[in-house]
Short mmCIF file of all heavy atoms in Angstrom, two decimals:
data_model
loop_
_atom_site.label_atom_id
_atom_site.label_comp_id
_atom_site.label_asym_id
_atom_site.label_seq_id
_atom_site.Cartn_x
_atom_site.Cartn_y
_atom_site.Cartn_z
N SER S 1 -244.68 -102.11 145.36
CA SER S 1 -244.83 -102.65 143.97
C SER S 1 -243.95 -103.93 143.87
O SER S 1 -242.81 -103.99 144.16
CB SER S 1 -244.38 -101.68 142.92
OG SER S 1 -245.31 -100.57 142.86
N SER S 2 -244.65 -104.98 143.30
CA SER S 2 -243.91 -106.21 143.04
C SER S 2 -243.01 -105.99 141.84
O SER S 2 -243.19 -105.13 141.08
CB SER S 2 -244.87 -107.36 142.85
OG SER S 2 -245.59 -107.15 141.66
N ILE S 3 -242.09 -107.04 141.56
CA ILE S 3 -241.38 -107.02 140.36
C ILE S 3 -242.33 -107.11 139.14
O ILE S 3 -242.07 -106.37 138.15
CB ILE S 3 -240.35 -108.17 140.28
CG1 ILE S 3 -239.09 -107.89 141.30
CG2 ILE S 3 -239.79 -108.43 138.87
CD1 ILE S 3 -238.23 -108.96 141.36
N THR S 4 -243.43 -107.75 139.21
CA THR S 4 -244.35 -107.85 138.13
C THR S 4 -244.98 -106.49 137.85
O THR S 4 -245.15 -106.05 136.67
CB THR S 4 -245.40 -108.87 138.37
OG1 THR S 4 -244.84 -110.10 138.85
CG2 THR S 4 -246.26 -109.13 137.19
N GLN S 5 -245.27 -105.79 138.89
CA GLN S 5 -245.91 -104.46 138.70
C GLN S 5 -244.81 -103.46 138.16
O GLN S 5 -245.16 -102.64 137.32
CB GLN S 5 -246.41 -103.96 140.08
CG GLN S 5 -247.70 -104.53 140.50
CD GLN S 5 -248.12 -104.19 141.94
OE1 GLN S 5 -247.57 -104.80 142.92
NE2 GLN S 5 -248.89 -103.19 142.08
N GLN S 6 -243.59 -103.59 138.58
CA GLN S 6 -242.60 -102.75 138.05
C GLN S 6 -242.30 -103.07 136.56
O GLN S 6 -241.96 -102.16 135.77
CB GLN S 6 -241.32 -102.92 138.88
CG GLN S 6 -241.38 -102.42 140.30
CD GLN S 6 -240.08 -102.63 141.10
OE1 GLN S 6 -239.06 -102.11 140.69
NE2 GLN S 6 -240.23 -103.36 142.18
N TYR S 7 -242.34 -104.34 136.27
CA TYR S 7 -242.22 -104.77 134.84
C TYR S 7 -243.27 -104.14 134.03
O TYR S 7 -243.02 -103.58 132.90
CB TYR S 7 -242.27 -106.25 134.75
CG TYR S 7 -242.40 -106.74 133.29
CD1 TYR S 7 -241.45 -106.54 132.38
CD2 TYR S 7 -243.63 -107.46 132.89
CE1 TYR S 7 -241.61 -107.03 131.04
CE2 TYR S 7 -243.77 -107.91 131.57
CZ TYR S 7 -242.70 -107.67 130.73
OH TYR S 7 -242.98 -108.16 129.40
N VAL S 8 -244.54 -104.08 134.47
CA VAL S 8 -245.63 -103.50 133.83
C VAL S 8 -245.39 -102.08 133.59
O VAL S 8 -245.59 -101.40 132.47
CB VAL S 8 -246.96 -103.72 134.58
CG1 VAL S 8 -248.05 -102.84 133.97
CG2 VAL S 8 -247.43 -105.20 134.54
N LYS S 9 -244.99 -101.34 134.67
CA LYS S 9 -244.79 -99.89 134.60
C LYS S 9 -243.71 -99.57 133.55
O LYS S 9 -243.87 -98.67 132.70
CB LYS S 9 -244.34 -99.39 135.95
CG LYS S 9 -243.92 -97.87 135.95
CD LYS S 9 -243.37 -97.38 137.18
CE LYS S 9 -242.86 -95.96 137.18
NZ LYS S 9 -242.35 -95.45 138.46
N ASN S 10 -242.56 -100.28 133.60
CA ASN S 10 -241.51 -100.12 132.61
C ASN S 10 -241.94 -100.38 131.20
O ASN S 10 -241.53 -99.70 130.25
CB ASN S 10 -240.25 -100.80 133.00
CG ASN S 10 -239.56 -100.33 134.30
OD1 ASN S 10 -239.53 -99.10 134.46
ND2 ASN S 10 -238.91 -101.15 135.02
N ALA S 11 -242.70 -101.45 131.04
CA ALA S 11 -243.14 -101.82 129.69
C ALA S 11 -244.10 -100.77 129.10
O ALA S 11 -243.96 -100.43 127.92
CB ALA S 11 -243.90 -103.25 129.76
N LEU S 12 -244.96 -100.22 129.93
CA LEU S 12 -245.93 -99.14 129.44
C LEU S 12 -245.23 -97.91 129.14
O LEU S 12 -245.48 -97.18 128.23
CB LEU S 12 -247.02 -98.88 130.49
CG LEU S 12 -248.07 -100.12 130.71
CD1 LEU S 12 -248.92 -99.78 131.86
CD2 LEU S 12 -248.86 -100.43 129.42
N LEU S 13 -244.17 -97.60 129.99
CA LEU S 13 -243.32 -96.42 129.74
C LEU S 13 -242.51 -96.59 128.52
O LEU S 13 -242.45 -95.58 127.66
CB LEU S 13 -242.36 -96.24 130.90
CG LEU S 13 -241.41 -95.08 130.97
CD1 LEU S 13 -242.12 -93.79 130.77
CD2 LEU S 13 -240.55 -95.04 132.16
N GLU S 14 -241.97 -97.74 128.22
CA GLU S 14 -241.13 -97.92 127.06
C GLU S 14 -242.01 -97.93 125.80
O GLU S 14 -241.60 -97.40 124.72
CB GLU S 14 -240.57 -99.41 127.18
CG GLU S 14 -239.70 -99.76 125.91
CD GLU S 14 -238.42 -98.93 125.67
OE1 GLU S 14 -238.16 -98.06 126.48
OE2 GLU S 14 -237.80 -99.12 124.71
N GLU S 15 -243.24 -98.39 125.92
CA GLU S 15 -244.13 -98.30 124.77
C GLU S 15 -244.46 -96.83 124.42
O GLU S 15 -244.52 -96.46 123.23
CB GLU S 15 -245.56 -98.99 125.17
CG GLU S 15 -246.53 -99.24 124.13
CD GLU S 15 -247.74 -99.93 124.59
OE1 GLU S 15 -248.44 -99.46 125.54
OE2 GLU S 15 -248.00 -101.03 124.04
N GLY S 16 -244.64 -96.05 125.43
CA GLY S 16 -244.83 -94.64 125.17
C GLY S 16 -243.60 -93.95 124.61
O GLY S 16 -243.67 -93.12 123.67
N ARG S 17 -242.38 -94.27 125.03
CA ARG S 17 -241.20 -93.74 124.41
C ARG S 17 -241.02 -94.13 122.98
O ARG S 17 -240.63 -93.33 122.15
CB ARG S 17 -240.03 -94.23 125.26
CG ARG S 17 -239.85 -93.56 126.68
CD ARG S 17 -238.73 -94.29 127.41
NE ARG S 17 -238.52 -93.61 128.72
CZ ARG S 17 -237.90 -94.26 129.72
NH1 ARG S 17 -237.48 -95.49 129.59
NH2 ARG S 17 -237.66 -93.58 130.80
N ILE S 18 -241.24 -95.45 122.66
CA ILE S 18 -241.04 -95.88 121.28
C ILE S 18 -242.07 -95.18 120.36
O ILE S 18 -241.64 -94.76 119.23
CB ILE S 18 -241.17 -97.38 121.29
CG1 ILE S 18 -240.04 -98.05 121.91
CG2 ILE S 18 -241.28 -97.93 119.81
CD1 ILE S 18 -240.12 -99.63 122.00
N ALA S 19 -243.22 -95.04 120.83
CA ALA S 19 -244.32 -94.45 120.10
C ALA S 19 -244.19 -92.86 120.03
O ALA S 19 -244.91 -92.16 119.40
CB ALA S 19 -245.65 -94.83 120.52
N ASP S 20 -243.21 -92.31 120.89
CA ASP S 20 -243.10 -90.89 121.09
C ASP S 20 -244.49 -90.29 121.49
O ASP S 20 -244.89 -89.20 120.99
CB ASP S 20 -242.57 -90.22 119.83
CG ASP S 20 -242.03 -88.79 120.06
OD1 ASP S 20 -241.78 -88.56 121.23
OD2 ASP S 20 -242.00 -88.03 119.16
N ASP S 21 -245.10 -90.98 122.42
CA ASP S 21 -246.48 -90.54 122.89
C ASP S 21 -246.42 -90.04 124.31
O ASP S 21 -246.30 -90.83 125.25
CB ASP S 21 -247.37 -91.79 122.84
CG ASP S 21 -248.88 -91.42 123.05
OD1 ASP S 21 -249.10 -90.48 123.85
OD2 ASP S 21 -249.75 -92.08 122.52
N ASN S 22 -246.40 -88.75 124.39
CA ASN S 22 -246.17 -88.13 125.76
C ASN S 22 -247.34 -88.40 126.73
O ASN S 22 -247.17 -88.54 127.98
CB ASN S 22 -246.11 -86.62 125.61
CG ASN S 22 -244.79 -86.20 125.00
OD1 ASN S 22 -243.73 -86.86 125.12
ND2 ASN S 22 -244.76 -85.10 124.23
N GLU S 23 -248.52 -88.69 126.22
CA GLU S 23 -249.72 -88.93 127.05
C GLU S 23 -249.50 -90.40 127.67
O GLU S 23 -249.84 -90.54 128.77
CB GLU S 23 -250.93 -88.99 126.18
CG GLU S 23 -252.27 -89.04 126.96
CD GLU S 23 -252.41 -88.02 128.11
OE1 GLU S 23 -251.99 -86.93 127.80
OE2 GLU S 23 -252.95 -88.40 129.11
N LYS S 24 -249.03 -91.29 126.88
CA LYS S 24 -248.71 -92.65 127.42
C LYS S 24 -247.62 -92.61 128.48
O LYS S 24 -247.72 -93.25 129.48
CB LYS S 24 -248.34 -93.58 126.30
CG LYS S 24 -249.50 -94.10 125.44
CD LYS S 24 -248.92 -95.28 124.50
CE LYS S 24 -250.13 -95.79 123.73
NZ LYS S 24 -249.63 -96.85 122.74
N ILE S 25 -246.64 -91.87 128.24
CA ILE S 25 -245.43 -91.67 129.18
C ILE S 25 -246.04 -91.06 130.53
O ILE S 25 -245.64 -91.50 131.50
CB ILE S 25 -244.43 -90.78 128.58
CG1 ILE S 25 -243.77 -91.49 127.41
CG2 ILE S 25 -243.32 -90.45 129.62
CD1 ILE S 25 -242.73 -90.62 126.60
N LYS S 26 -246.88 -90.04 130.33
CA LYS S 26 -247.42 -89.44 131.50
C LYS S 26 -248.28 -90.39 132.38
O LYS S 26 -248.15 -90.47 133.58
CB LYS S 26 -248.28 -88.16 131.04
CG LYS S 26 -248.92 -87.48 132.25
CD LYS S 26 -249.83 -86.27 131.72
CE LYS S 26 -250.52 -85.62 132.91
NZ LYS S 26 -251.39 -84.46 132.42
N ARG S 27 -249.10 -91.12 131.58
CA ARG S 27 -249.98 -92.14 132.40
C ARG S 27 -249.11 -93.18 133.07
O ARG S 27 -249.57 -93.71 134.09
CB ARG S 27 -250.94 -92.83 131.40
CG ARG S 27 -252.09 -91.83 130.95
CD ARG S 27 -253.29 -92.66 130.35
NE ARG S 27 -252.78 -93.52 129.28
CZ ARG S 27 -252.84 -93.21 128.02
NH1 ARG S 27 -253.30 -92.00 127.62
NH2 ARG S 27 -252.46 -94.11 126.98
N ALA S 28 -248.02 -93.63 132.39
CA ALA S 28 -247.17 -94.64 133.05
C ALA S 28 -246.36 -94.19 134.33
O ALA S 28 -245.86 -94.97 135.03
CB ALA S 28 -246.27 -95.18 131.96
N THR S 29 -246.23 -92.85 134.39
CA THR S 29 -245.28 -92.32 135.48
C THR S 29 -246.08 -91.40 136.45
O THR S 29 -245.53 -90.99 137.53
CB THR S 29 -244.20 -91.52 134.84
OG1 THR S 29 -244.80 -90.46 134.02
CG2 THR S 29 -243.28 -92.39 133.98
N GLU S 30 -247.39 -91.08 136.28
CA GLU S 30 -247.99 -90.16 137.18
C GLU S 30 -248.20 -90.78 138.53
O GLU S 30 -248.36 -91.95 138.69
CB GLU S 30 -249.34 -89.78 136.60
CG GLU S 30 -250.33 -90.90 136.40
CD GLU S 30 -251.58 -90.49 135.66
OE1 GLU S 30 -251.70 -89.36 135.27
OE2 GLU S 30 -252.49 -91.38 135.33
N GLN S 31 -248.06 -89.99 139.62
CA GLN S 31 -248.22 -90.46 141.02
C GLN S 31 -249.66 -90.42 141.42
O GLN S 31 -250.01 -89.52 142.20
CB GLN S 31 -247.30 -89.62 141.91
CG GLN S 31 -245.77 -89.75 141.59
CD GLN S 31 -245.33 -91.19 141.94
OE1 GLN S 31 -245.56 -91.76 143.01
NE2 GLN S 31 -244.64 -91.73 140.92
N THR S 32 -250.48 -91.32 140.97
CA THR S 32 -251.86 -91.37 141.36
C THR S 32 -252.25 -92.80 141.77
O THR S 32 -251.66 -93.83 141.32
CB THR S 32 -252.74 -90.96 140.10
OG1 THR S 32 -252.54 -91.92 139.03
CG2 THR S 32 -252.36 -89.59 139.63
N ILE S 33 -253.29 -92.92 142.46
CA ILE S 33 -253.95 -94.25 142.86
C ILE S 33 -254.38 -94.97 141.59
O ILE S 33 -254.24 -96.15 141.42
CB ILE S 33 -255.04 -93.99 143.88
CG1 ILE S 33 -254.45 -93.51 145.20
CG2 ILE S 33 -255.72 -95.32 144.05
CD1 ILE S 33 -255.49 -93.31 146.25
N ALA S 34 -254.87 -94.24 140.64
CA ALA S 34 -255.44 -94.82 139.48
C ALA S 34 -254.28 -95.58 138.66
O ALA S 34 -254.52 -96.66 138.16
CB ALA S 34 -255.98 -93.75 138.47
N ARG S 35 -253.09 -94.97 138.71
CA ARG S 35 -251.97 -95.65 138.00
C ARG S 35 -251.60 -96.90 138.74
O ARG S 35 -251.30 -97.97 138.14
CB ARG S 35 -250.76 -94.74 137.92
CG ARG S 35 -249.65 -95.25 136.98
CD ARG S 35 -248.29 -94.81 137.41
NE ARG S 35 -247.67 -95.65 138.41
CZ ARG S 35 -246.88 -95.39 139.23
NH1 ARG S 35 -246.36 -94.11 139.34
NH2 ARG S 35 -246.24 -96.18 140.07
N LYS S 36 -251.64 -96.82 140.10
CA LYS S 36 -251.22 -98.04 140.88
C LYS S 36 -252.30 -99.17 140.68
O LYS S 36 -251.92 -100.31 140.59
CB LYS S 36 -251.24 -97.64 142.33
CG LYS S 36 -250.10 -96.81 142.78
CD LYS S 36 -248.77 -97.62 142.81
CE LYS S 36 -247.60 -96.89 143.46
NZ LYS S 36 -246.34 -97.61 143.53
N ILE S 37 -253.58 -98.76 140.60
CA ILE S 37 -254.57 -99.79 140.34
C ILE S 37 -254.38 -100.42 138.90
O ILE S 37 -254.48 -101.67 138.82
CB ILE S 37 -256.01 -99.13 140.49
CG1 ILE S 37 -256.27 -98.89 141.93
CG2 ILE S 37 -257.00 -100.19 139.91
CD1 ILE S 37 -257.56 -98.13 142.25
N ASN S 38 -254.08 -99.60 137.98
CA ASN S 38 -253.91 -100.11 136.60
C ASN S 38 -252.75 -101.02 136.48
O ASN S 38 -252.75 -102.11 135.78
CB ASN S 38 -253.77 -98.90 135.62
CG ASN S 38 -253.87 -99.37 134.15
OD1 ASN S 38 -254.86 -100.07 133.85
ND2 ASN S 38 -252.99 -98.98 133.33
N GLU S 39 -251.68 -100.69 137.20
CA GLU S 39 -250.47 -101.57 137.27
C GLU S 39 -250.79 -102.94 137.88
O GLU S 39 -250.37 -103.93 137.41
CB GLU S 39 -249.34 -100.87 138.03
CG GLU S 39 -248.50 -99.92 137.29
CD GLU S 39 -247.49 -99.26 138.17
OE1 GLU S 39 -247.24 -99.78 139.24
OE2 GLU S 39 -247.00 -98.22 137.78
N ALA S 40 -251.53 -102.82 139.01
CA ALA S 40 -251.94 -104.07 139.60
C ALA S 40 -252.87 -105.01 138.74
O ALA S 40 -252.71 -106.20 138.69
CB ALA S 40 -252.73 -103.79 140.93
N ARG S 41 -253.79 -104.28 138.05
CA ARG S 41 -254.62 -104.93 137.04
C ARG S 41 -253.83 -105.72 135.99
O ARG S 41 -254.03 -106.91 135.71
CB ARG S 41 -255.58 -103.95 136.51
CG ARG S 41 -256.47 -104.38 135.39
CD ARG S 41 -257.46 -103.25 135.07
NE ARG S 41 -258.26 -103.60 133.83
CZ ARG S 41 -257.96 -103.15 132.67
NH1 ARG S 41 -256.82 -102.40 132.49
NH2 ARG S 41 -258.69 -103.45 131.64
N TYR S 42 -252.80 -105.01 135.40
CA TYR S 42 -251.97 -105.55 134.37
C TYR S 42 -251.09 -106.73 134.96
O TYR S 42 -250.85 -107.66 134.33
CB TYR S 42 -251.07 -104.58 133.75
CG TYR S 42 -251.70 -103.93 132.50
CD1 TYR S 42 -252.50 -102.69 132.56
CD2 TYR S 42 -251.53 -104.47 131.25
CE1 TYR S 42 -253.09 -102.15 131.47
CE2 TYR S 42 -252.07 -103.92 130.11
CZ TYR S 42 -252.78 -102.70 130.24
OH TYR S 42 -253.34 -102.12 129.15
N ALA S 43 -250.60 -106.50 136.24
CA ALA S 43 -249.76 -107.48 136.85
C ALA S 43 -250.52 -108.80 137.05
O ALA S 43 -249.87 -109.89 136.75
CB ALA S 43 -249.26 -107.05 138.17
N ILE S 44 -251.72 -108.78 137.25
CA ILE S 44 -252.57 -110.00 137.39
C ILE S 44 -252.64 -110.67 136.07
O ILE S 44 -252.41 -111.97 135.93
CB ILE S 44 -254.00 -109.76 137.89
CG1 ILE S 44 -254.02 -109.27 139.32
CG2 ILE S 44 -254.87 -110.89 137.85
CD1 ILE S 44 -255.27 -108.66 139.84
#
């Protein structure tokens, strides 16, 4: 993961924490290829 991808992951995770949304937190941290692809998409 590039710094940009890590920034995306942390930003999505923080968004879930602030909103107290467990589903967002789960999506931001799950160990899946789908999450990696989504991070790459946002990084672009």
Side-chain angles (χ1 to χ4, degrees):
S1 292
S2 67
I3 285 176
T4 311
Q5 287 171 274
Q6 293 179 60
Y7 167 65
V8 167
K9 176 185 176 180
N10 287 330
L12 293 173
L13 179 59
E14 178 67 3
E15 188 175 59
R17 285 172 177 158
I18 291 175
D20 196 23
D21 188 327
N22 290 329
E23 187 58 35
K24 281 187 176 181
I25 294 173
K26 180 182 177 181
R27 287 199 301 269
T29 55
E30 61 187 0
Q31 294 297 308
T32 64
I33 291 177
R35 194 209 85 205
K36 288 285 188 181
I37 290 176
N38 195 49
E39 281 178 12
R41 175 173 171 264
Y42 268 91
I44 294 171

